[in-house]
Amino acid sequence: MGTNYDVVIVGGGPAGMMAAASAAAHGASVQLLEKNDQLGRKMLITGGGRCNLTNRADVAEMVANIPGNGKFVYSSLHRFSGQDLRNFFKRLGLATKVEDHGRVFPISDKAQDVVNALTKHLHQLGVRISLGTGVTSLMVENNHCRGVMVGETVIRAKAVVLATGGVSYPRTGSTGEGHKMAERVGHHVTKLFPAAVAITCTDPWIVQREVQGLSLANVNITVFNSRDKRLATETGDIIFTHWGLSGPGALRVGRAVALERQREPDAPIRGALDLFPTRSSEELARELGKLAQAAPKKSVKNLLIMLVPERLVKVLLELAGMPPETPGGPLNKTQLAKLADLLKALPVHIKGTRPIEEATVTGGGVNIKEIDPRTMGSKLIRGLFFAGEILDVDAHTGGFNMQVAFSTGYVAGEAAALFVKETLD
Ligand SMILES: Cc1cc2nc3c(=O)[nH]c(=O)nc-3n(C[C@H](O)[C@H](O)[C@H](O)COP(=O)(O)OP(=O)(O)OC[C@H]3O[C@@H](n4cnc5c(N)ncnc54)[C@H](O)[C@@H]3O)c2cc1C
């Protein structure tokens, strides 16, 4: 195990790999330590194995999509933006493309190509990559991080970047060891919670498999606490599962549900699904009325099928207390309004979220108050830098978390290299 590297990077995910590339490009000799026997295991499963490496959004829009301390990474996103990342990969020979919601993927649709391009680049820069190397602690002397320990083995360095990720999907290697290492040298870790996570519901029509597997595009989903305070409203596709709601729309409100559950473990949380976010309740009632007038004998069930999937129609009519075969013609204004209101605010009863191990992203992490946002450097320990999901920063899905990892990695690597240059010992 070499001991003469300027910068040691702990963790070979997107944050660690970019930190290694950046530190090396800024003149440092670099060793990258990854406990798995391969780099970027989590990256490989993003975007359904295609690697959603960033988003086309500009910096302001990126920050708006980072509900967990987005402002903290503003300067990193400026220093190394989504466009910078795409240019970076272009220089490495990896072309990218933009898909729906601005999500960026490699043109080949293969996550492995992204990891391969990064790995090749690291080799070209002379980064030493040590796989199967699980770091156990940071070495700190006189408030200066001077390396790491791998079991009994000492790896000395002039600066260390900790990029060990969060605690979600632990089988990918992100098991929270970095948080513990940071705590042992005096940093604080805010309470961890599942972010970008699916929601569990108690409604029999959802959990008893009536609608399991059904997906709805561009739904507005709002969640309220027990005092009817609105916790979040988000738009996106949702999928009904046998335990609740998944899909990007549900994931976007998942963090608000998780935080409320931490505050009030047993209080009811309710949700409302707006199936037609661009239309008012009155418009929908009018449309239903027109459809009913055009075919007065048609059952209300068959009228609704013209607006929503059949499996959901059954649920809507049960909730409205209307027998499915009721003819649409005689429906009065109150009945039409009732149906329209259900289309605009289909009620769901929320139990909580799926566990943090199944969350796409970990909320909470190393306290950002203890980190300089311009360098990602520790304010407590000299020569210690942080990057990626280990930080108390979490974003919506759509490429924003990956960009946070790459941007903070870039900044941390650059700052670590500069720190080494400026440190004369
Ligand atoms: C199923 C899934 C889908 C996702 N989809 C998207 C998406 O579409 N878009 C998006 O932006 N984000 C997505 N994400 C989130 C994204 O993958 C993460 O935010 C990102 O990988 C974080 O990068 P990181 O480098 O900080 O951490 P990680 O990728 O978790 O990498 C950390 C690395 O550190 C290593 N490590 C941990 N402890 C040690 C140790 N003690 N010693 C040495 N090495 C160690 C781990 O093995 C791991 O390889 C998804 C996540 C999941 C789980």
Side-chain angles (χ1 to χ4, degrees):
M1 196 88 56
T3 56
N4 294 320
Y5 290 85
D6 292 334
V7 180
V8 156
I9 316 276
V10 187
M17 282 192 271
M18 185 55 81
S22 172
H26 288 92
S29 62
V30 180
Q31 185 171 15
L32 173 61
L33 310 176
E34 165 56 54
K35 73 173 170 183
N36 289 332
D37 54 9
Q38 68 183 127
L39 294 173
R41 194 175 277 180
K42 187 173 272 183
M43 260 176 95
L44 288 172
I45 59 170
T46 67
R50 299 191 300 133
C51 193
N52 172 205
L53 49 99
T54 183
N55 193 285
R56 186 176 47 188
D58 62 18
V59 173
E61 206 186 324
M62 285 253 182
V63 171
N65 277 284
I66 309 174
N69 292 319
K71 282 194 187 132
F72 175 75
V73 289
Y74 190 86
S75 113
S76 294
L77 293 171
H78 253 294
R79 182 78 190 90
F80 191 73
S81 68
Q83 192 53 53
D84 291 333
L85 181 73
R86 293 183 70 191
N87 293 342
F88 167 86
F89 276 115
K90 198 171 171 191
R91 285 195 299 276
L92 303 191
L94 186 108
T96 53
K97 61 175 171 176
V98 182
E99 290 194 2
D100 58 336
H101 307 292
R103 296 179 307 152
V104 175
F105 294 89
I107 230 158
S108 66
D109 280 331
K110 287 192 192 123
Q112 190 65 56
D113 288 352
V114 183
V115 175
N116 290 349
L118 273 168
T119 309
K120 189 173 162 203
H121 184 55
L122 293 176
H123 284 305
Q124 282 165 347
L125 287 166
V127 173
R128 173 166 173 181
I129 300 172
S130 303
L131 300 175
T133 308
V135 171
T136 42
S137 59
L138 300 170
M139 266 173 40
V140 174
E141 295 160 1
N142 300 325
N143 265 10
H144 185 163
C145 191
R146 302 206 180 247
V148 299
M149 301 283 294
V150 178
E152 298 301 308
T153 309
V154 173
I155 300 181
R156 287 207 161 264
K158 292 177 188 145
V160 171
V161 179
L162 204 50
T164 49
V167 296
S168 312
Y169 277 64
R171 69 189 156 80
T172 62
S174 332
T175 50
E177 288 154 49
H179 294 124
K180 295 196 182 85
M181 288 187 242
E183 278 180 329
R184 284 203 297 272
V185 299
H187 274 281
H188 294 89
V189 174
T190 59
K191 201 163 180 187
L192 304 182
F193 62 92
V197 65
I199 295 168
T200 53
C201 297
T202 56
D203 308 79
W205 61 270
I206 299 178
V207 296
Q208 285 170 11
R209 302 179 176 225
E210 200 96 42
V211 288
Q212 190 188 338
L214 179 69
S215 60
L216 300 173
N218 281 323
V219 167
N220 251 15
I221 170 164
T222 303
V223 289
F224 303 88
N225 71 8
S226 57
R227 292 175 301 286
D228 251 359
K229 183 180 165 219
R230 190 172 63 82
L231 301 173
T233 299
E234 297 287 350
T235 308
D237 302 351
I238 59 163
I239 303 164
F240 293 97
T241 72
H242 61 279
W243 36 255
L245 300 175
S246 190
L251 262 56
R252 285 177 79 93
V253 295
R255 77 184 302 281
V257 172
L259 286 171
E260 182 62 14
R261 267 287 157 269
Q262 280 192 349
R263 272 191 296 269
E264 300 217 40
D266 300 315
I269 302 175
R270 69 179 182 86
L273 306 179
D274 180 351
L275 311 185
F276 293 91
T278 58
R279 298 166 73 182
S280 69
S281 200
E282 292 70 28
E283 274 170 29
L284 287 167
R286 266 200 304 278
E287 175 164 352
L288 274 171
K290 272 190 200 151
L291 290 171
Q293 273 163 23
K297 288 195 183 136
K298 219 177 206 177
S299 67
V300 64
K301 174 183 156 205
N302 284 336
L303 289 177
L304 282 169
I305 284 173
M306 296 162 89
L307 297 178
V308 288
E310 188 169 352
R311 279 195 282 170
L312 204 55
V313 168
K314 200 172 157 214
V315 173
L316 288 169
L317 289 173
E318 264 170 32
L319 293 173
M322 274 181 212
E325 299 313 324
T326 312
L331 287 182
N332 62 33
K333 272 196 172 165
T334 315
Q335 287 170 309
L336 290 170
K338 191 171 187 177
L339 289 173
D341 288 348
L342 277 171
L343 295 173
K344 285 294 289 176
L346 180 61
V348 292
H349 298 87
I350 296 169
K351 192 155 84 182
T353 67
R354 298 297 290 171
I356 196 161
E357 292 77 14
E358 290 177 32
T360 312
V361 185
T362 301
V366 178
N367 195 326
I368 55 161
K369 288 189 189 137
E370 299 163 354
I371 299 167
D372 182 343
R374 292 161 305 171
T375 62
M376 291 294 134
S378 164
K379 290 181 184 170
L380 312 181
I381 312 278
R382 294 174 70 232
L384 177 62
F385 299 81
F386 296 93
E389 210 176 306
I390 189 174
L391 297 161
D392 179 10
V393 174
D394 63 273
H396 289 313
T397 57
F400 306 107
N401 289 291
M402 292 287 283
Q403 184 62 45
V404 167
F406 284 126
S407 292
T408 54
Y410 183 89
V411 167
E414 179 183 36
L418 287 178
F419 175 84
V420 169
K421 272 187 203 156
E422 286 162 8
T423 309
L424 297 173
D425 57 329

